[in-house]
């Protein structure tokens, strides 16, 4: 680390994204917070046919849930620093195998206009590019708004988002392995709908990765 970085670290010490404890290294979670959230795993119910499984990093609870909600709904863009250290720690990159491109789950035009950004991009894009992954920011387009998923049953959620996504015009995914990324995996309906569209367009394989999930 250079002199400038040392001075910045002294003036603005790094703090744990979860509890605010001052840390020795930038962007790291303290061990106490990690113990409450860290649970990297393949979600049992995530192989849905078009989607060949989805991994997640953490449990959707506590301080991590607060970070996601702050970034997603409260314009707390500084919360984006909470996520790259978790991606750094993820132990199953080899299980995911090599993938040709990374595509985020998109927002509707209405939500994008209101929020001004897709929180998934802030969580994943910089990290993926730093690791030389092809992050295709607008690879999928959400062609209509859908009823709020949290109000629906599992079956209703799958029905609610049928045909919700469309591949970006001019993007070729034929024969390619795609990694879909999102903030939270709940029932898998959103991931499955994205994977369905990508497979329809000729993708060879589609996997998923999320920051958090309450699913086992």
């Amino acid at each position: 680390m250079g002199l400038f970085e040392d001075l910045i670290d002294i003036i603005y010490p790094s703090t744990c994204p979860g509890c605010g404890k001052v840390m020795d290294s930038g962007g790291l979670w303290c061990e106490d917070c990690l113990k409450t959230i860290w649970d990297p795993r393949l979600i049992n119910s995530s192989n849905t046919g078009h989607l060949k499984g989805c991994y997640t990093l953490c449990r959707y609870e506590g301080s991590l849930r607060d970070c996601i909600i702050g970034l997603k709904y409260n314009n707390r863009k500084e919360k984006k620093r909470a996520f790259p250290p978790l991606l750094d720690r993820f132990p199953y990159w080899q299980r995911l195998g090599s993938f040709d491109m990374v595509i985020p789950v998109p927002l509707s035009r209405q939500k994008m206009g209101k929020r001004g950004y897709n929180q998934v991009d802030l969580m994943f894009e910089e990290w993926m590019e730093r690791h030389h992954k092809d992050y295709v920011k607008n690879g999928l387009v959400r062609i209509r708004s859908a009823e709020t998923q949290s109000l629906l049953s599992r079956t209703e959620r799958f029905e609610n988002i049928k045909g919700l996504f469309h591949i970006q015009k001019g993007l070729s995914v034929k024969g390619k392995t795609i990694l879909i990324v999102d903030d939270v995996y709940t029932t898998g309906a959103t991931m499955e709908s994205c994977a369905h569209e990508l497979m329809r367009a000729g993708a060879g394989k589609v996997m998923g990765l999320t920051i958090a999930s309450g699913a086992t």
Side-chain angles (χ1 to χ4, degrees):
M1 180 179 289
L3 178 60
F4 179 75
E5 286 82 3
D6 288 338
L7 289 172
I8 290 295
D9 208 36
I10 292 171
I11 299 170
Y12 302 104
S14 298
T15 56
C16 171
C19 66
K21 177 182 177 181
V22 175
M23 304 297 292
D24 293 332
S25 301
L28 297 178
W29 290 74
C30 73
E31 289 301 317
D32 288 339
C33 284
L34 277 174
K35 286 177 184 177
T36 67
I37 64 169
W38 188 240
D39 189 17
R41 63 199 186 277
L42 175 65
I43 299 169
N44 290 330
S45 59
S46 63
N47 191 330
T48 54
H50 300 100
L51 183 72
K52 300 303 180 184
C54 180
Y55 283 85
T56 193
L57 307 181
C58 301
R59 294 182 291 277
Y60 185 52
E61 58 188 48
S63 55
L64 179 72
R65 181 176 181 275
D66 292 341
C67 286
I68 291 174
I69 288 174
L71 177 62
K72 191 171 182 176
Y73 298 115
N74 300 322
N75 201 34
R76 297 288 303 278
K77 291 184 182 179
E78 75 278 6
K79 293 295 184 180
K80 70 179 185 178
R81 74 184 185 90
F83 307 105
L86 299 175
L87 291 168
D88 286 338
R89 290 176 62 96
F90 181 58
Y92 302 134
W93 287 112
Q94 287 188 336
R95 292 188 188 178
L96 280 171
S98 60
F99 40 92
D100 299 298
M101 65 178 67
V102 182
I103 297 179
V105 172
L107 296 181
S108 66
R109 184 176 298 180
Q110 181 182 14
K111 285 186 178 179
M112 190 67 174
K114 182 178 180 180
R115 194 173 301 168
Y117 58 89
N118 183 348
Q119 75 280 353
V120 181
D121 293 334
L122 298 187
M123 293 172 175
F124 286 96
E125 183 175 15
E126 185 176 323
W127 191 93
M128 290 293 178
E129 290 181 346
R130 180 157 42 92
H131 288 80
H132 310 292
K133 306 298 184 184
D134 185 13
Y135 189 90
V136 185
K137 194 169 184 175
N138 299 306
L140 285 171
V141 178
R142 189 183 291 250
I143 59 177
R144 59 178 173 82
S145 297
E147 187 176 346
T148 302
Q149 290 284 83
S150 61
L151 304 176
L152 305 176
S153 69
R154 178 181 173 85
T155 300
E156 288 171 335
R157 290 185 189 209
F158 278 89
E159 288 297 319
N160 184 45
I161 61 174
K162 275 187 177 179
L164 187 61
F165 303 101
H166 193 74
I167 195 162
Q168 184 69 261
K169 185 177 180 180
L171 178 66
S172 175
V173 297
K174 189 172 182 180
K176 294 183 177 180
T177 299
I178 312 296
L179 181 67
I180 304 173
V181 292
D182 203 2
D183 51 2
V184 179
Y185 180 107
T186 305
T187 64
T190 300
M191 279 270 180
E192 165 62 16
S193 184
C194 289
H196 182 277
E197 170 61 13
L198 290 167
M199 293 298 290
R200 184 200 65 78
K205 183 179 180 182
V206 182
M207 296 284 291
L209 177 66
T210 68
I211 296 294
S213 177
T216 57

